[in-house]
Amino acid sequence: MTPDQIHENVVRQYREHINPYLAKLMHFAGFGVEVHGEGCTIRDHEGREFLDFLGGYGVFSLGHRHPEIVAALKDQLDHLPLSGKTFFSGKQAALAEKLAQLAPDPLQYTFFSNSGAEAVEAALKFAKATTKRSKIVSTIGGYHGKTIGALSTTGREKYRKPFEPLMPGVEFVPYGDLDAAKAVIDSQAAAVIIETVQGEGGIHIPPAGYLKGLEEAAHANGALLIVDEVQTGVGRTGKMFGSEHDDLHPDIMTLAKALGGGAMPIGATMFSQQIADAVFSENPLAHTSTFGGNPLACTAGLKTLEIIERDNLAQRSHDLGERLMTKLRENVKDLDLVADIRGQGLMIGVEFSMDEVGELVTAQVVKRGVVVAYTLNNPRVIRLEPPLIVTEAQIDQAVEALTGAILETQELLAAFA
Ligand SMILES: Cc1ncc(COP(=O)(O)O)c(C=O)c1O
């Protein structure tokens, strides 16, 4: 097949057998078919190479096909890819122990699943079972996934409305507003669920003292703190966990995305002794998953943590994030179109002063060979989440592409004004 035929065929298959409306949207955005990933680049069906500055929304912290992850997985494939679930799993045990060594106290145990939403589902169930309460406090713009429980705590009407009634008892407050949160964290609350940087909501960095204030308010009312680190976890924000920036001690922490080393799906819900006793003492099988904790995913998780620690990738994320933001701020400081550039490590948002501009700039950046995307709950913001192994030269290349794209968009808008 010619490259054009490959593209047409895949778009047709999407249209006829996956989702006709998504097919139209992706086709309109001009995306090709991905065929190969390596390091920080993705190659499409025409052989065009793109710098991956979206990183699968945080999945590719180690880049694509990190050689040590691939080697570890090939070896595991030759022994035991999936678990029979009756024997003890050495890989699952080792990953749980490693996570407990790295994560803040009192997180000691891990329930493994296969995605971020599943990790959140477990977190919500554990909070309810432990406190015997059902009220959950979440944030407007917060994103926790699209399964029923997780969606119930996702702070955007657009995604929730068509599927109502959802799980009852969820109250939303503005992200970053401690007083608003304190007003609803009461003796009815089972938990507060919070991202340490609000990702899909538009890369919002919490004000100093906010997260710690939530923790204190929750604990003062007998409620739990669930920190959703599906996107911020394992090195992304310049620390191994986003919780470390504020010295948080969450009762529950969710992980997914980058923990799979860019090669395996994985979800993890970490929890304390108190929660282990409340959820599992009477029924050790109270919450289970067939594929969760499988040896392949746990092999990837173990290797990922080893590489991030050994290669100091959290520090690298901090340093390169600063480099990117400083250079980009300098380049666009005179442009009205850019309202803000903010981030923590290599989790960066560029906010525009007008709606729909995110989409236009995204298309222009992609045209320049760099993949980025706007945030799901806030289309005014495009987000940059390159692999943590990105080089300084690649950071500079992306800054050039972004600057060019923003300038061209500003000129286009001026021509239509
Ligand atoms: C903070 C957060 N929680 C949960 C999720 C849901 O993860 P998944 O898409 O793997 O279900 C996401 C996905 O973007 C996320 O960013």
Side-chain angles (χ1 to χ4, degrees):
M1 279 204 267
T2 65
D4 276 353
Q5 286 168 333
I6 292 172
H7 187 245
E8 269 167 38
N9 192 42
V10 172
V11 174
R12 178 193 59 76
Q13 287 167 323
Y14 262 64
R15 199 171 48 238
E16 293 178 6
H17 303 294
I18 292 182
N19 177 338
Y21 309 99
L22 179 67
K24 204 163 150 191
L25 188 73
M26 289 175 70
H27 193 39
F28 181 74
F31 282 107
V33 181
E34 59 186 3
V35 291
H36 189 84
E38 186 149 358
C40 297
T41 59
I42 304 173
R43 198 164 67 227
D44 77 1
H45 67 288
E46 287 181 323
R48 285 184 301 182
E49 288 220 335
F50 295 86
L51 253 189
D52 186 4
F53 263 58
L54 177 57
Y57 303 87
V59 167
F60 295 106
S61 285
L62 299 183
H64 296 263
R65 298 192 309 113
H66 190 291
E68 289 175 70
I69 299 279
V70 171
L73 287 176
K74 282 184 173 164
D75 184 57
Q76 187 62 41
L77 261 179
D78 283 338
H79 291 90
L80 187 80
L82 295 180
S83 166
K85 287 289 186 188
T86 44
F87 292 82
F88 281 108
S89 162
K91 285 290 154 80
Q92 184 177 170
L95 179 57
E97 183 176 59
K98 184 72 200 170
L99 283 169
Q101 284 162 1
L102 292 171
D105 291 336
L107 301 170
Q108 183 185 344
Y109 299 97
T110 303
F111 173 80
F112 289 104
S113 55
N114 312 281
S115 68
E118 275 179 82
V120 170
E121 293 293 329
L124 297 172
K125 284 181 69 180
F126 293 179
K128 287 181 163 204
T130 303
T131 59
K132 312 266 186 296
R133 304 174 183 175
S134 60
K135 175 169 157 180
I136 306 287
V137 177
S138 186
T139 52
I140 297 166
Y143 188 83
H144 302 291
K146 289 181 180 153
T147 52
I148 292 284
L151 180 62
S152 305
T153 64
T154 285
R156 195 159 181 223
E157 276 287 291
K158 179 176 165 180
Y159 294 115
R160 286 204 314 272
K161 197 82 197 145
F163 304 103
E164 286 177 347
L166 296 170
M167 183 180 81
V170 184
E171 291 207 27
F172 293 96
V173 289
Y175 189 82
D177 184 341
L178 187 56
D179 289 336
K182 278 182 172 170
V184 292
I185 301 172
D186 55 19
S187 60
Q188 308 292 306
V192 179
I193 182 165
I194 195 79
E195 296 158 85
T196 61
V197 172
Q198 205 184 51
E200 301 300 333
I203 314 287
H204 294 298
I205 318 294
Y210 173 66
L211 296 172
K212 202 68 190 167
L214 288 182
E215 179 182 299
E216 284 163 8
H219 290 166
N221 285 281
L224 305 180
L225 180 71
I226 302 173
V227 173
D228 184 351
E229 296 233 25
V230 164
Q231 200 160 148
T232 50
V234 289
R236 172 58 51 191
T237 68
K239 302 267 187 200
M240 183 58 94
F241 304 107
S243 296
E244 291 172 37
H245 292 281
D246 299 80
D247 189 30
L248 294 184
H249 293 277
D251 305 283
I252 301 180
M253 180 163 84
T254 55
L255 299 168
K257 294 191 188 278
L259 185 59
M264 287 300 299
I266 189 168
T269 307
M270 299 192 68
F271 53 99
S272 63
Q273 182 71 52
Q274 176 204 11
I275 293 167
D277 294 341
V279 178
F280 292 111
S281 62
E282 280 180 25
N283 179 5
L285 301 176
H287 192 66
T288 56
S289 160
T290 299
F291 288 129
N294 69 72
L296 269 181
C298 291
T299 296
L302 269 170
K303 208 29 129 187
T304 298
L305 295 175
E306 181 190 320
I307 295 169
I308 290 177
E309 272 196 301
R310 184 196 64 202
D311 296 349
N312 270 326
L313 292 184
Q315 183 61 40
R316 187 181 175 80
S317 176
H318 168 81
D319 297 346
L320 292 179
E322 291 302 311
R323 180 187 182 97
L324 193 156
M325 287 191 282
T326 306
K327 291 199 165 205
L328 191 59
R329 281 191 191 118
E330 181 57 29
N331 286 1
V332 302
K333 65 176 187 292
D334 297 326
L335 301 183
D336 299 339
L337 202 57
V338 180
D340 193 21
I341 295 170
R342 54 180 177 262
Q344 207 177 57
L346 282 169
M347 186 166 180
I348 296 170
V350 181
E351 176 158 0
F352 299 100
S353 49
M354 291 159 64
D355 283 340
E356 318 303 342
V357 169
E359 210 172 333
L360 288 173
V361 175
T362 298
Q364 293 289 347
V365 183
V366 174
K367 211 174 78 183
R368 287 166 169 77
V370 180
V371 179
V372 295
Y374 53 88
T375 51
L376 218 52
N377 285 351
N378 188 349
R380 268 189 186 210
V381 178
I382 58 174
R383 118 266 294 285
L384 308 168
E385 292 188 44
L388 311 183
I389 58 161
V390 67
T391 64
E392 289 187 352
Q394 286 168 326
I395 292 274
D396 296 349
Q397 194 184 333
V399 169
E400 282 311 303
L402 271 156
T403 308
I406 294 168
L407 279 170
E408 190 164 333
T409 306
Q410 177 131 326
E411 280 163 21
L412 266 172
L413 290 172
F416 284 106

